[in-house]
Each structure stands twice: as C-alpha cells, then as structure tokens.
Amino acid sequence: MSGAAAAEPAPAKDGEGLINLCDMLDKPMCYARNENTSYPLGNLFIGDSRLGMQSDADEQLIIHLTFQEFVKVKSIKFSEWNMGSNPDMNPVNVHIHINRNNLGFEDIEDVDPAQTITLTAADLQDVSDAIDLYYVKFQRVKSLTFFIEDNAGADITAIGGLQIMGRTVATTNMNDFKKQG
C-alpha cells in the first residue's frame, strides 16, 4: 500500500508568484470591437506605447482576451498612449467582465460587470502601480472583456499598453495517473 502511495503524483499547486498573464493569452481567440486597423489589439503587448491600440469610429472600445488556461487575476495596468502625448485620448471608465464570450456594443451595457474602474492620468503613467482588482471575483478566469466606455474628451480612445498580473490555477494533468489493476 505504501508503494502505491509513493507512486501517486504530487498534488498540483497554484502558480508561485505573480506573472504577466499576457504571455498566456490564446491569441487567435482574442479580439477587439471598434479598433483602428492601423493600431490593433496586438500592439498592446509589444511594449512600445507609440504602437498601442486606438478605437476607430468613436471613443468606445471592447477588448476581449482569452487565456490558454484558467488563471487568477490580481491586478491590471493600462499604459498611456505615446507616453502621454495626447491625454484626452486616455481611457477613463473601464468595465471588466469575466468569462463572458461574444459581448458586443448592443448588449454589453445590459450586463453587470465584475468590476468597474475609473482611470486617471496618473494611473496610466509607466511609473504608477497596477490597479488591484476584487481578487475574490477573479479566481477562475478563462477570459476577460474590457469595455472602455469613455475617455478624457477626445473623439477616439488610445491605449499604449496592457499588463494583466496574476497566477495560474492548479490543474490536474491526467497523464500523471497510472492505471491500477
């Protein structure tokens, strides 16, 4: 009996320490609504705020991000466009939805977000800290949908970068189990 117990795999553990979860995105499943094709969603993760993302027709923007596996999200960090060259384009009210697929402009305002944050110019600077989320609500996240409702006054919204900090969720690898008997 003790030999069988020794052969069992160790219990899975949550990821140790915070990581930038943007490296765990399932990129083909991520999309944006009302994005300027010259400044698309993928630019948010390059690390150069001059190449960030912009909305197209107006200030509203929907960003849907899908992860490769379930994650725990602790905080998010939006960065200002082009090192703050046009502060009127900064996003202000951002509604965050968890595990909601296919939200569009026609229905996103009818769905209650998990959290709403109000960004200031100081929040968007590179030197500012990430914004902590209601950690208890973000424990088992497969996708995040950000609805940027408005900005600081410009016709379009621009975001220089995005970081999502958190950790992986413990999962069981079925290949670790051995057939018994």
Side-chain angles (χ1 to χ4, degrees):
M1 191 79 154
S2 64
E8 290 182 18
K13 293 183 180 177
D14 283 350
E16 304 279 328
L18 295 178
I19 60 170
N20 185 350
L21 296 172
C22 294
D23 297 333
M24 301 189 68
L25 291 174
D26 187 1
K27 297 216 167 128
M29 300 300 292
C30 299
Y31 62 84
R33 302 278 188 253
N34 190 33
E35 74 178 323
N36 181 331
T37 55
S38 298
Y39 298 98
L41 170 66
N43 287 359
L44 289 179
F45 311 110
I46 292 174
D48 185 345
S49 70
R50 297 171 297 172
L51 299 175
M53 179 182 190
Q54 288 185 2
S55 62
D56 188 27
D58 60 20
E59 76 280 0
Q60 292 189 334
L61 191 58
I62 294 175
I63 301 170
H64 179 81
L65 303 175
T66 301
F67 297 98
Q68 297 167 1
E69 61 185 81
F70 284 101
V71 296
K72 295 179 179 184
V73 180
K74 182 181 184 318
S75 60
I76 58 168
K77 172 75 174 117
F78 285 95
S79 299
E80 59 192 349
W81 168 262
N82 201 7
M83 298 178 286
S85 65
N86 191 342
D88 287 348
M89 294 169 63
N90 288 343
V92 175
N93 290 308
V94 180
H95 305 284
I96 307 168
H97 300 270
I98 304 169
N99 301 333
R100 301 293 300 222
N101 293 325
N102 302 318
L103 286 175
F105 289 106
E106 62 280 347
D107 57 0
I108 199 158
E109 292 181 4
D110 298 332
V111 179
D112 289 334
Q115 185 169 349
T116 298
I117 58 174
T118 302
L119 299 170
T120 65
D123 292 331
L124 297 168
Q125 293 178 352
D126 287 338
V127 296
S128 65
D129 293 331
I131 296 171
D132 286 334
L133 300 176
Y134 300 137
Y135 197 53
V136 71
K137 290 186 177 185
F138 292 82
Q139 291 294 301
R140 191 165 170 80
V141 176
K142 183 69 172 162
S143 68
L144 291 172
T145 304
F146 299 97
F147 172 46
I148 290 95
E149 184 177 18
D150 55 18
N151 61 23
D155 291 337
I156 62 170
T157 297
I159 304 167
L162 175 61
Q163 291 182 339
I164 303 168
M165 303 305 292
R167 57 182 49 113
T168 57
V169 173
T171 57
T172 302
N173 183 351
M174 297 307 287
N175 293 328
D176 290 342
F177 287 100
K178 306 278 188 269
K179 186 173 181 175
Q180 297 287 323

